Structure formats: C-alpha cells, structure tokens
C-alpha cells in the first residue's frame, strides 16, 4: 500500500491544492459552475501528472533537466488566474462599475484558458496511454486512468452545460485548445531542454489566449462584413486602452519576425555553413541586412498598421506614445533618467562581480530582483500607466536582443551571447535564455492585468513583492543561515521560507499606509493577505519549476479574491 500511495506525496501538489481551494472558497454563487470545472480540471491534471512522471512515453520531449513535469501547476495556474479575475469583476458588477458584456467576455476567456489546459492534458494522457509500459503497478495505473477519464468526461459535460446558451462559443474555445497542443509540441521540439512540460503549458496557453484576444479585437472591426457567430462569439464589451493595443501590436510583430526571417532565408536559399571564410562573412553580412530590414519593416509598418486598424488613434501610434510621455514631461522623463542610471550602474557592477567573483549565480541574480524593486515600486504608485508602457518597451527590447542572440545576427549576436552568459544559471541553456523574461513578465503582468477596475490596491505589486522581496530574501537567508530543509533532496530551507514570508508581510505593512496617503481606498483584508503570502511562499519552497513565472501569478490571483 505504501508503494501505491507514495507517488501521490508531493509538496508542490499540496500547495497547488491549497491554492485552488482558496479560489473555490471565495466563489460567489454565480460562478459555481466555473469553480466545479476548475476542480475537475485540477483532478484531471493531478492524475495525468502522476501517470506522466511514471511513464516513459513523454521522454520524446527533452524537458529541462532537474525539473519535475509540473503538469498540475502548469495546467491550473492560468485558469485559476482568470477565475480570480472573474470573482473580482463580479464584485465590480454588483457595484455597477462594469457591464455584463465585459463580464461575459472575461468568462469566455476563462473557458478558453481552461480548454487550452484541458486539450494539452488530453494529449498527454493519450501519449501515456499509448506507451508500451508503465513503471506503476497495473492496478494503480488502471485506477488512475479511470479516475482521470471520469474527470475528463465530467469536465467536457460541464463545459457544454455552461456554454449551452452560446453554442457559437464552442468553435472559439476549441480552437484555443487545439492551438495550444500544436504550439506546445512545437515549443518543446524547437527549444529542447529549455522548459518543463508545466512551464511550456503555461507559456503556450498564455500566448494562445493573448493572441486570441488580438484576433477578437481584429474581427470586431469586421463585424459588419463577417459572420459574428463564427468569428466573434460575443461582443467584447471592453474598451482597450491605447497602451494595451500598442503593446499587443508590437509584440505581435516581434513574434512573427523569426518566422518571416526564416522564410526569407529559405526563399533566398542562403548557405547554412559556407566552407570558405570569406563566403561565410559575406553570407552573414547579407543575412544581417535582411534581418534588420525585416525588423524595421515590421515595427514601423506592419505593427502600427494593426494598431490603427483596431484602435482609432488620432495620430500615428508612435506619435501617440511621444505625446503621452510629454503630457507629464517632468515626472515621466525624470523616471526614465532614474531607470537608465539604475540599469547602467547595476549592470556594470554585477557583470564585473560575475566575472571576478565566486558568488553563486543564483545569489547574484537575486540582486537584480532587488534592482527591480528599486526601479518599479515608485512608478507603480505614482505612474502606473507609464510603467505599463515601459514594460512593453522593455519586453520588446528583450525579444529583439534574444532573437539576435539565437540567430547569431552579425555583428551583435556573439557579443550579446557572451554578455548574457554571465547571468545564466542551471535553468537557462545556450539555446534559449528565459530568466530575464520571466522576471520582467512576473513584475509586468500584475500591472497590466490591474488596468481598469481594481479594488485590491496590493494586486499590482504582486510581482514586485513576491519576486523582488520574498524570493530574494528567501534565497539569501536560506543560503546563508538555512539548516532545516523542506525535503531531503531539495535545497530550500524552512528558515529561507520564513524570511521570505516575513519580509513580504513587512513590506505590505509599509506599503498599505503609503498607498492610503496617495488616495487609494484600502479594501485588502489582512487574513486573505496573510494566506496569499503563505501560499506563494510555500510554492517558492516546494516547486521545481521556474518560480519567476508561477509565483507572481499565484500571488496575484489570491490578492484579487
């Protein structure tokens, strides 16, 4: 019996169960079906993770070394986040601060994100089922298959009942699920050993949901010409800000840039590895010209064209950005100067330390978390809209640099690669460096999602508090003073987790009075705040996934309740 139950015992799974339980406990009656679907999805993901961890069928995917599959965490994080936003928006509806159309569209996004996870889980379950053998004993394996299949069928039936009033939503929701499966396979095959299955699931589901929203924006403009029941299942009812449209358009262009560049190289039939050094240099020079020409065309022509299509800008979108910055020139330009000075000083200092010091990379990188606190905290309080725009610009710059590094674009590719290697650790690879993306997005996503209605003043600070303060203090204290470990095989210590939780609570005790002095109406309950801090702290202690990606989303979800 002990052998049969031992695969179920996992600290990460216990924390995820606690996280989902907190969200289900906060559900209003109007969202009970959504909560039941999340419960079934969690149970299905739980069974698939156990089967996958004990099956050789998923070995065809080269996942990140040293990380567990993370299927349960990756499957429930995004749907739980969308459900938490639904709970928050249902409060806004009672206060007449939003409308039913906006709430319905957010509910549709919940079902789309849930379907993305569900379809990937079905794909993984089929892969396990088709495996020639399992390391689990047959009775236990058969019981798990039956349990997972039952959850799968119940989830599908519940989804049908929940969307029965809007049958036209099914093609929209199903398309998200199919796209997630295809993108997950492409991501894991194109970038082997760069992510676990759970991390890849979170990334693919988020990308599909994000670009599905962009498609909804686009189709909305053609509602009079195209069939709305097929292309746009519900009216969006949400007025997107100009900043969100600009960020979406710019990221869309940059993500299609590698595809366009690869296609042009294929059409022009460039030699991959010319034997002659002179021919190789000439080929690299021509490829560089093609790349930067495509970059300029996409960012200057393609992306702004889409922005102007979906949003009625009175001027060119980039001119709108200039006008926005100079609408408060003293505050925003001063903030830009402050950011530049902090970045230059920290990069130069930490780069020299990384080359000449024996400090572990993981600790050195935590200093950048503290830099993020110094940079972003004042802006979140006084200039949140400008900070959201700055995050978009920083993400675009990171994408351009990473594309140049991966494709080895002359003359910057090798220089960027050598520089970035000074800050990598075991979670990065030469093929793809993701840690700086996860830190930036971990701080940015809570701020982006808090635009509009937000009755929880600490929610925009989720990334800064959990990564910049909690994760940093947990690593530093645990590394220097930690003795009691959470598990025999792990490195996380109880002392480090306690330090992380305490530091976040201390930061909140300072931040809440400061927010009150700036005019925020404080509605954050200390009991719910304590629970959110503890759950996110325990997740940092137990998870083997990329914590920069998951902890801010979990913390943000709990703060919205």
């Amino acid at each position: 019996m002990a052998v049969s139950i031992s695969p179920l015992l996992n600290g990460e799974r216990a924390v995820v169960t606690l996280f989902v339980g907190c969200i289900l406990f906060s559900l209003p009656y109007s969202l009970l079906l959504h909560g039941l679907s999340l419960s079934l999805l969690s149970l299905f993901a739980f069974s698939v993770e156990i089967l996958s961890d004990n099956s050789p069928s998923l070995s065809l995917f080269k996942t990140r070394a040293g990380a567990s599959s993370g299927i349960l965490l990756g499957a429930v994080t995004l749907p739980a986040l969308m459900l938490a936003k639904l709970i928050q928006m249902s409060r806004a509806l009672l206060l007449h601060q939003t409308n039913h159309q906006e709430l319905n569209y957010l509910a549709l996004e919940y079902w789309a994100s849930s379907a993305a996870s569900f379809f990937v889980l079905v794909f993984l379950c089929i892969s396990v089922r088709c495996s020639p053998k399992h390391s689990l004993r047959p009775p236990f394996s058969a019981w798990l298959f039956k349990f997972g299949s039952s959850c799968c069928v119940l989830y599908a039936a519940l989804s049908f009942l929940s969307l029965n009033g809007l049958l036209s939503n099914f093609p929209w929701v199903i398309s998200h699920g199919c796209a997630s499966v295809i993108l997950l396979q492409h991501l894991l095959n194109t970038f082997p050993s760069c992510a676990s299955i759970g991390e890849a699931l979170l990334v693919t589901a988020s990308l599909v949901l994000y670009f599905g929203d962009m498609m909804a924006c686009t189709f909305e403009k053609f509602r009079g010409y195209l069939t709305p029941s097929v292309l746009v299942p519900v009216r969006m009812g949400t007025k997107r800000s100009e900043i969100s449209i600009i960020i979406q358009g710019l990221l869309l262009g940059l993500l299609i840039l590698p595809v366009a560049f690869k296609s042009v190289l294929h059409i022009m039939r460039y030699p991959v590895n010319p034997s002659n050094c002179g021919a190789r240099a000439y080929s690299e020079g021509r490829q560089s010209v093609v790349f930067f020409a495509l970059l300029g065309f996409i960012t200057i022509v393609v992306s702004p064209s889409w922005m102007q299509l979906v949003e009625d800008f009175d001027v060119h979108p980039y001119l709108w950005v200039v006008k926005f910055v100079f609408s408060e020139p003293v505050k925003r330009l001063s903030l830009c100067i402050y950011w530049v000075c902090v970045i230059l000083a920290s990069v130069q200092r930490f780069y020299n330390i990384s080359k000449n010091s024996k400090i572990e990379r993981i600790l050195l990188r935590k200093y950048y978390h503290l830099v993020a606190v110094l940079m972003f905290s004042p802006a979140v309080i006084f200039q949140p809209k400008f900070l959201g725009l700055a995050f978009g610009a920083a993400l675009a710059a990171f994408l351009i640099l990473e594309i140049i590094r991966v494709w080895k674009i002359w003359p910057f590719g090798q220089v960027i690669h050598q520089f970035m290697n000074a800050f990598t650790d075991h979670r990065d690879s030469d093929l793809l460096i993701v840690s700086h993306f996860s830190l930036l997005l971990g701080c940015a996503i809570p701020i982006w999602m808090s635009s509009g209605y937000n009755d929880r003043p600490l929610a925009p600070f989720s990334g800064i508090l959990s990564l910049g303060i909690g994760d940093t203090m947990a690593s530093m204290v645990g590394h220097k003073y930690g003795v009691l470990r959470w598990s025999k095989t792990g490195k996380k210590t109880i002392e480090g987790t306690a330090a992380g939780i305490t530091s976040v609570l201390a930061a909140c005790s300072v931040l809440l009075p400061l927010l009150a002095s700036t005019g925020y109406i404080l509605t954050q309950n200390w009991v719910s705040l304590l629970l959110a801090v503890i759950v996110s702290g325990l997740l940092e202690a137990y998870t083997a996934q990329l914590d920069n990606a998951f902890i801010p989303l979990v913390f943000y979800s709990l703060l919205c309740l």
Side-chain angles (χ1 to χ4, degrees):
M1 186 67 180
V3 176
S4 299
I5 295 179
S6 59
L8 300 175
L9 303 178
N10 184 296
E12 180 179 291
R13 293 169 191 159
V15 176
V16 174
T17 302
L18 180 60
F19 166 54
V20 174
C22 292
I23 292 180
L24 297 180
F25 183 78
S26 304
L27 282 174
Y29 291 113
S30 59
L31 298 176
L32 286 180
L33 288 179
H34 300 74
L36 183 57
S37 70
L38 179 63
S39 302
L40 293 172
L41 183 70
S42 302
L43 293 174
F44 185 31
F46 178 78
S47 61
V48 172
E49 178 175 292
I50 296 175
L51 290 170
S52 300
D53 288 346
N54 295 274
S55 172
S57 60
L58 299 183
S59 59
L60 56 97
F61 296 123
K62 294 182 179 179
T63 57
R64 181 165 60 84
S68 60
S69 66
I71 293 174
L72 175 61
L73 180 60
V76 305
T77 298
L78 188 59
L81 172 63
M82 300 309 298
L83 187 55
K85 287 296 295 183
L86 268 175
I87 295 172
Q88 187 182 40
M89 292 305 296
S90 65
R91 294 197 300 267
L93 186 65
L94 294 176
L95 297 174
H96 305 289
Q97 296 184 1
T98 187
N99 53 60
H100 285 282
Q101 290 180 339
E102 186 172 359
L103 189 66
N104 290 337
Y105 184 73
L106 186 58
L108 184 61
E109 286 202 311
Y110 163 75
W111 288 113
S113 63
S114 183
S117 297
F118 176 72
F119 272 65
V120 172
L121 291 174
V122 171
F123 164 73
L124 296 175
C125 189
I126 293 174
S127 300
V128 172
R129 184 65 175 174
C130 296
S131 176
K133 60 180 180 178
H134 307 289
S135 60
L136 288 175
R137 291 192 299 180
F140 186 69
S141 177
W143 181 85
L144 276 176
F145 272 120
K146 292 180 181 179
F147 178 75
S149 300
S150 301
C151 294
C152 176
V153 172
L154 289 174
Y155 173 86
L158 183 62
S159 301
F160 179 82
L161 290 175
S162 301
L163 295 173
N164 189 35
L166 293 170
L167 292 178
S168 60
N169 290 346
F170 277 101
W172 184 260
V173 171
I174 291 174
S175 65
H176 282 70
C178 296
S180 296
V181 174
I182 296 172
L183 186 58
L184 177 82
Q185 297 180 74
H186 178 75
L187 180 66
L188 291 175
N189 291 327
T190 305
F191 302 105
S193 304
C194 292
S196 68
I197 295 179
E199 293 164 357
L201 200 163
L202 177 64
V203 171
T204 53
S206 301
L207 286 175
V208 170
L209 187 66
Y210 191 68
F211 287 107
D213 180 71
M214 295 181 67
M215 291 177 64
C217 291
T218 306
F219 291 150
E220 179 75 9
K221 290 296 180 178
F222 295 99
R223 181 178 289 276
Y225 305 97
L226 301 174
T227 305
S229 61
V230 176
L231 294 179
V232 187
V234 296
R235 286 191 177 273
M236 293 187 297
T238 57
K239 173 64 177 176
R240 274 120 174 119
S241 66
E242 291 87 349
I243 292 176
S244 65
I245 293 296
I246 289 172
I247 294 174
Q248 281 185 315
L250 190 57
L251 295 183
L252 171 65
L254 293 178
L255 288 176
I256 66 174
L257 173 61
V259 179
F261 181 57
K262 184 177 180 179
S263 301
V264 171
L265 293 184
H266 179 72
I267 293 172
M268 301 182 70
R269 297 180 179 177
Y270 277 119
V272 179
N273 289 309
S275 57
N276 183 272
C277 294
R280 184 184 298 116
Y282 179 70
S283 176
E284 290 177 351
R286 293 185 64 185
Q287 290 183 21
S288 178
V289 171
V290 171
F291 173 82
F292 287 109
L294 276 176
L295 176 62
F297 177 74
I298 289 176
T299 55
I300 297 175
V301 178
V302 177
S303 294
S305 299
W306 181 85
M307 298 174 198
Q308 291 182 313
L309 172 67
V310 300
E311 181 69 24
D312 297 326
F313 285 95
D314 53 351
V315 294
H316 191 278
Y318 294 154
L319 290 179
W320 185 94
V321 172
V322 175
K323 289 178 61 178
F324 175 76
V325 173
F326 282 94
S327 61
E328 296 183 27
V330 177
K331 295 180 180 179
R332 291 169 181 169
L333 291 179
S334 300
L335 199 56
C336 290
I337 295 173
Y338 170 69
W339 287 340
V340 171
C341 293
V342 172
I343 291 173
L344 291 178
S346 59
V347 168
Q348 181 180 6
R349 174 63 177 169
F350 297 151
Y351 182 71
N352 293 331
I353 292 177
S354 67
K355 291 177 63 177
N356 304 319
S357 176
K358 296 182 179 180
I359 297 177
E360 291 189 21
R361 292 283 178 87
I362 187 64
L363 292 180
L364 180 64
R365 284 151 49 99
K366 297 305 177 183
Y367 289 114
Y368 278 98
H369 290 212
L370 295 177
V371 171
V373 175
L374 293 176
M375 291 179 61
F376 304 143
S377 296
V380 179
I381 299 174
F382 301 108
Q383 288 289 326
K385 292 184 178 179
F386 181 62
L387 180 60
L389 180 63
F391 274 134
L395 181 58
F398 280 4
L399 281 172
I400 293 173
L401 293 176
E402 186 65 10
I403 294 171
I404 292 175
R405 189 193 68 83
V406 171
W407 283 89
K408 300 178 182 178
I409 302 298
W410 181 86
F412 306 109
Q414 188 62 29
V415 176
I416 295 174
H417 177 72
Q418 293 176 353
F419 178 79
M420 293 300 299
N421 271 345
F423 306 102
T424 58
D425 63 9
H426 64 281
R427 293 174 297 185
D428 294 308
S429 67
D430 289 339
L431 188 60
L432 195 65
I433 299 177
V434 297
S435 297
H436 57 299
F437 283 103
S438 62
L439 176 59
L440 179 69
L441 288 173
C443 295
I445 289 177
I447 294 171
W448 288 339
M449 295 196 68
S450 298
S451 62
Y453 177 79
N454 178 41
D455 61 343
R456 296 292 185 260
L458 287 179
F461 294 87
S462 303
I464 297 172
L465 289 171
S466 59
L467 297 181
I469 296 177
D471 187 31
T472 302
M473 293 302 297
S475 295
M476 291 184 172
V477 173
H479 182 267
K480 190 171 184 179
Y481 303 105
V483 176
L484 303 175
R485 300 188 183 277
W486 285 104
S487 64
K488 295 180 180 179
T489 58
K491 296 182 179 179
K492 304 295 179 66
T493 64
I494 297 177
E495 294 88 348
T497 302
I501 292 173
T502 304
S503 62
V504 173
L505 290 174
C508 291
S509 65
V510 174
L511 190 58
L512 284 173
L514 181 61
L515 291 173
S517 66
T518 60
Y520 281 89
I521 299 176
L522 301 183
T523 57
Q524 199 78 53
N525 185 283
W526 273 99
V527 176
S528 62
L529 173 60
L530 178 63
L531 185 61
V533 174
I534 291 175
V535 172
S536 59
L538 290 175
L539 181 61
E540 191 276 336
Y542 277 114
T543 186
Q545 308 302 304
L546 188 62
D547 49 8
N548 288 2
F550 289 98
I551 294 176
L553 300 183
V554 170
F555 193 35
Y556 177 84
S557 301
L558 295 175
L559 287 179
C560 287
L561 302 180

